[in-house]
Amino acid sequence: MESPTSSTVASVVRAPKGGRPRATTRPDLERIGFELFARQGFDATTVDDIAGAAGIARRTFFRYFASKNDLVWGDFEQQLAGFRDLLNATGPNVPIMTALRAAVVDFNRFDATVVPWHRQRMQLILTVPTLQADATLRYRSWRAIVTDFAARRLGLAASDAIPRLFGHTLLAAAVTAYEHWLAVPDAELSELLDTAIRRLEDGLGGASSA
C-alpha cells in the first residue's frame, strides 16, 4: 500500500464531474478515512463522513469494510496469514526464539513510503479507547499463531502454560516496541522489535530444554 500523502488523498476525495467517485477500492477508502481521522479525530469521524468524502453511498462503504474499526485495521487478517507462513517456513533446527524474533521483525517490516501511514494506524490502535476492545480480539489471533508455533516446537498442547506464555510475552514485547516507536519519531521499528524480543530470549529460550 502507498502512504496516504495529501496529494493522493485530495485526488481521491474530489469527485469528478457527474458525481461519480474517482475510485472505490479498499486502499482509497483507507486513505480518505485516515485523512479524516487526522483532521477531525477518530471518534468524531463517521462512516457517513468517509462515504461522503469518497463520493459513495453509505451502503457501498460496507461492501468494503464491516465497520469504521475495520478500516483502521486494513487487511490485518491477510497479514496474519503471512505471519503464520513465515513461522511455518522456519527450519526445524532454528532455535525457537530466533525463529519467533525473525518472523515478528519481518512481519512488521514496511516500505519507507508506507511507514507514515502505518505510524498513524498504530497511533490510533494503541491510543484510541474505542479501538481497545477491538485490538484485544485482533491481537488474540496474533498471539494464537505464536502459541501454536511454540506448542509444536515444544511438543506440547497449545493450551499448556508454556506455549501460552510465549504468545503473551511476545505480544507484550511487540507492543512495547511499538509504543516506543510512536514516542520517538526517528526510532527504527525493526531494531526496537529485535531488541525487545532478544531481551526475552534468556528466559524463554531455555523452555526448549525443559
Side-chain angles (χ1 to χ4, degrees):
M1 299 180 190
E2 297 178 355
S3 175
T5 62
S6 58
S7 60
T8 57
V9 171
S11 68
V12 174
V13 171
R14 289 196 297 269
K17 294 180 181 180
R20 291 179 179 273
R22 288 189 181 276
T24 52
T25 66
R26 287 175 63 96
D28 290 336
L29 291 177
E30 285 186 37
R31 292 188 188 98
I32 293 168
F34 276 96
E35 192 274 339
L36 291 174
F37 298 151
R39 190 168 69 218
Q40 60 195 40
F42 177 80
D43 289 329
T45 301
T46 66
V47 169
D48 287 333
D49 291 335
I50 300 169
I56 62 175
R58 175 185 173 90
R59 65 179 178 275
T60 303
F61 173 91
F62 289 116
R63 293 175 186 171
Y64 297 92
F65 298 100
S67 68
K68 185 175 66 171
N69 288 12
D70 281 341
L71 184 148
V72 174
W73 284 91
D75 60 350
F76 187 67
E77 292 303 320
Q78 182 178 342
Q79 292 176 29
L80 283 182
F83 182 40
R84 185 182 293 106
D85 289 342
L86 284 172
L87 287 171
N88 289 341
T90 303
N93 295 325
V94 177
I96 184 170
M97 286 301 296
T98 301
L100 286 167
R101 175 164 45 81
V104 171
V105 171
D106 284 348
F107 177 66
N108 290 280
R109 199 184 301 278
F110 301 93
D111 186 270
T113 60
V114 178
V115 169
W117 193 11
H118 186 59
R119 185 180 291 274
Q120 185 182 0
R121 184 191 305 276
M122 294 307 299
Q123 185 73 38
L124 290 169
I125 290 171
L126 293 178
T127 63
V128 175
T130 51
L131 286 170
Q132 294 307 296
D134 197 26
T136 299
L137 294 175
R138 308 264 186 173
Y139 284 142
R140 180 182 297 170
S141 298
W142 187 98
R143 197 173 66 235
I145 293 173
V146 174
T147 300
D148 290 343
F149 175 77
R152 291 196 306 272
R153 279 299 190 91
L154 300 174
L156 299 171
S159 58
D160 285 353
I162 296 300
R164 293 173 65 184
L165 181 62
F166 273 83
H168 282 280
T169 54
L170 263 293
L171 178 59
V175 170
T176 299
Y178 262 103
E179 289 176 342
H180 189 74
W181 181 63
L182 293 175
V184 182
D186 61 346
E188 172 57 49
L189 179 59
S190 294
E191 293 179 3
L192 292 173
L193 288 164
D194 186 87
T195 299
I197 297 173
R198 282 182 187 276
R199 293 286 185 175
L200 301 178
E201 290 195 36
D202 288 344
L204 289 178
S208 59
S209 60

